[in-house]
C-alpha cells in the first residue's frame, strides 16, 4: 500500500472540537445555546442507531438536543405539525427529519416544510437552489465532510479533475456542486456512464457514492489520485465466523490504496464526518439566526 490514509475519525473529532469551542463562546459571550432537533418516525433499527449517536454527540459538544420519536403510522398532518412547532421554536436552530420516512409520508413535502434556515441536512429545495447558484446555503453533511477532507489534504482544489460516481440528491449532486465551487473540472458518472473505468482513470479526485460494495478497483484509479469512499455496504464475512458481516466501501480498499495517493477507509473515513458536519451546520445556523459571525472552516 502506498496511499496516505485520510483518517476521517480523527478529522471528525477535530471538527467536533472546533464546534464545541464555538458553542462555548456563544454561551459565554451571548448566552446562546445552539439547539438541534431530530425527528424520527417509526422504528427502523439503523435510523434509531443514527439518531442515538447524533443526540449523544450533540450533547457532547455542548448543544441542546431534542428528539421527537413518532409512531410509524403517524399521519402527515401530525408530522408537519411537529416540524412547524420546531420551526417556530427560538431555542431550536437545526431540524433534521431522519430519512427514510415510512412509505405513506411524502418526503419532499416534509423536507420542504422545514424552515430553510434550520435545514441542517441541506435537503430543502431552497438550499439546493442556493448551493447550485453558488450562494450561501445549508450544505448537505456528507458532501460537506468530503469537501473538508479534500481541502485539508490538497489545500487548493482549483483545476483538479474530479469524478463523482453517483448522482443522488443527497450525495452525488451536491458533491459535484461543491467541487465545482472549488474550481474543479467535474464529471458526474452514474449507472449509464459509458466506459466508466476510463472516465474515473482521468480523475485527480474520485468520490465514490454508489452503494455497490468494492465496485471501484485499483485499475480504475490514476496513480496518485485521491479517493474518497462514501459507500457503506455490509457484506458477508465468513472468515470472521458463520453469519458474520463486515462493512466495506464502494472502493476495493487494498487495490485502490496500492495506486492512489490518498484514500479514506471504510469504516473510519467519510462516515464520522457526516455527524460532525451536522453539528457544524447547527452552529452555523445558530450564528446566522442571531446575526453573529460564523465559525471559520466549518462551512463550504
Ligand atoms: P443512491 O442509491 O441514492 O445513488 C447511487 C448512485 O450510484 C446513483 O446515482 C446510481 O446511478 C449510481 N450507480 C449505481 N450503480 C452504479 C454502477 N454500477 N455504476 C455507476 N454508478 C452506479 O445512493 P446514495 O447516494 O444515497 O448513497 C451512496 C452510498 O453512500 C451508499 O453506500 C450509502 O450507504 C452511502 N452513504 C454514506 C453516507 C455516510 O455518511 N458515509 C451518507 C449517505 C450515503 P443512477 O442514478 O444511474 O441509478
Amino acid at each position: 500500500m502506498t496511499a496516505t490514509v485520510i483518517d476521517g475519525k480523527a478529522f471528525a473529532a477535530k471538527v467536533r472540537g472546533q464546534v464545541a469551542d464555538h458553542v462555548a463562546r456563544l454561551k459565554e459571550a451571548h448566552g446562546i445555546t445552539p439547539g438541534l432537533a431530530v425527528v424520527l418516525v417509526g422504528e427502523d433499527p439503523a435510523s434509531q442507531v443514527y439518531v442515538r449517536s447524533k443526540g449523544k454527540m450533540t450533547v457532547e459538544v455542548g448543544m441542546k438536543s431534542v428528539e421527537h420519536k413518532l409512531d410509524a403510522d403517524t399521519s402527515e398532518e401530525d408530522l408537519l405539525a411537529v416540524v412547524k412547532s420546531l420551526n417556530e421554536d427560538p431555542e431550536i436552530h437545526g431540524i433534521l427529519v431522519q430519512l427514510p420516512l415510512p412509505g405513506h409520508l411524502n418526503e419532499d413535502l416534509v423536507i420542504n416544510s422545514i424552515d430553510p434556515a434550520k435545514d441542517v441536512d441541506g435537503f430543502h429545495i431552497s438550499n439546493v437552489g442556493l448551493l447550485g447558484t453558488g450562494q450561501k446555503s445549508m450544505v448537505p453533511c456528507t458532501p460537506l465532510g468530503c469537501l473538508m477532507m479534500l481541502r485539508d489534504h490538497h489545500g487548493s482544489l482549483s483545476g483538479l479533475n474530479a469524478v463523482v460516481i453517483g448522482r443522488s440528491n443527497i450525495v452525488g449532486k451536491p458533491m459535484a456542486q461543491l467541487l465545482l465551487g472549488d474550481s474543479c473540472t467535474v464529471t458526474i458518472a452514474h449507472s449509464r456512464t459509458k466506459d466508466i473505468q476510463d472516465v474515473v482513470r482521468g480523475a485527480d479526485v474520485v468520490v465514490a457514492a454508489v452503494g455497490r460494495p468494492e465496485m471501484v478497483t485499483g485499475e480504475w484509479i490514476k496513480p496518485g489520485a485521491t479517493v474518497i469512499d462514501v459507500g457503506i455496504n455490509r457484506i458477508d464475512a465468513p472468515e470472521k465466523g458463520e453469519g458474520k458481516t463486515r462493512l466495506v466501501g464502494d472502493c476495493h480498499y487494498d487495490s485502490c490504496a496500492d495506486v492512489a495517493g490518498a484514500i479514506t477507509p471504510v469504516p473510519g473515513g467519510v462516515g464520522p464526518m457526516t455527524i460532525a458536519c451536522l453539528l457544524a451546520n447547527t452552529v452555523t445556523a445558530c450564528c446566522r439566526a442571531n446575526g453573529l459571525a460564523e465559525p471559520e472552516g466549518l462551512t463550504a
Side-chain angles (χ1 to χ4, degrees):
M1 180 182 130
T2 56
T4 300
V5 180
I6 299 177
D7 184 346
K9 209 171 155 191
F11 199 105
K14 188 174 132 195
V15 171
R16 289 196 307 274
Q18 288 171 280
V19 170
D21 288 347
H22 210 83
V23 169
R25 277 198 294 278
L26 281 172
K27 280 186 191 173
E28 204 179 297
H30 305 283
I32 298 168
T33 302
L36 172 64
V38 177
V39 182
L40 174 63
V41 186
E43 274 153 27
D44 176 60
S47 294
Q48 284 182 327
V49 172
Y50 289 139
V51 168
R52 243 195 325 273
S53 63
K54 282 169 188 168
K56 187 169 161 269
M57 290 191 187
T58 304
V59 172
E60 276 172 10
V61 295
M63 301 200 290
K64 176 176 166 170
S65 168
V66 174
E67 280 175 26
H68 285 265
K69 291 189 177 160
L70 307 178
D71 293 338
D73 60 359
T74 297
S75 69
E76 204 160 81
E77 195 185 352
D78 287 350
L79 175 56
L80 291 173
V82 170
V83 173
K84 184 168 182 287
S85 72
L86 294 169
N87 284 341
E88 291 166 356
D89 186 340
E91 292 192 359
I92 296 298
H93 306 94
I95 303 170
L96 180 151
V97 176
Q98 184 66 44
L99 301 178
L101 290 171
H104 66 285
L105 299 169
N106 180 336
E107 281 188 359
D108 288 338
L109 183 76
V110 173
I111 296 303
N112 289 325
S113 75
I114 298 172
D115 177 350
K118 296 188 179 188
D119 168 39
V120 282
D121 251 345
F123 296 161
H124 190 290
I125 194 72
S126 298
N127 283 315
V128 175
L130 289 167
L131 179 63
T133 49
Q135 300 180 67
K136 194 184 264 192
S137 64
M138 295 308 302
V139 178
C141 305
T142 301
L144 178 58
C146 296
L147 183 75
M148 283 185 188
M149 290 195 286
L150 283 168
R151 282 179 177 168
D152 184 68
H153 183 71
H154 283 272
S156 170
L157 300 174
S158 179
L160 296 181
N161 286 328
V163 173
V164 179
I165 319 175
R167 55 174 163 180
S168 73
N169 290 336
I170 64 166
V171 189
K173 284 182 197 153
M175 187 72 246
Q177 297 283 8
L178 289 171
L179 291 166
L180 199 55
D182 270 28
S183 299
C184 290
T185 302
V186 183
T187 304
I188 305 179
H190 47 77
S191 67
R192 307 292 172 88
T193 299
K194 288 189 180 136
D195 302 321
I196 191 165
Q197 300 191 22
D198 292 338
V199 173
V200 175
R201 218 174 282 122
D204 304 305
V205 169
V206 179
V207 181
V210 188
R212 300 207 179 270
E214 302 179 320
M215 182 184 87
V216 178
T217 62
E219 290 171 8
W220 298 38
I221 303 300
K222 177 162 109 176
T226 301
V227 177
I228 304 289
D229 191 350
V230 181
I232 302 177
N233 310 286
R234 190 164 283 286
I235 62 167
D236 291 338
E239 73 280 5
K240 288 169 72 180
E242 204 186 310
K244 297 285 184 195
T245 60
R246 66 189 172 98
L247 288 182
V248 296
D250 290 337
C251 301
H252 184 271
Y253 185 80
D254 288 344
S255 65
C256 289
D258 277 342
V259 186
I263 188 166
T264 59
V266 177
V270 176
M273 286 300 288
T274 297
I275 296 187
C277 287
L278 173 69
L279 304 175
N281 277 349
T282 304
V283 83
T284 298
C286 177
C287 292
R288 288 180 187 169
N290 289 284
L292 298 169
E294 292 172 24
E296 271 182 35
L298 296 182
T299 47

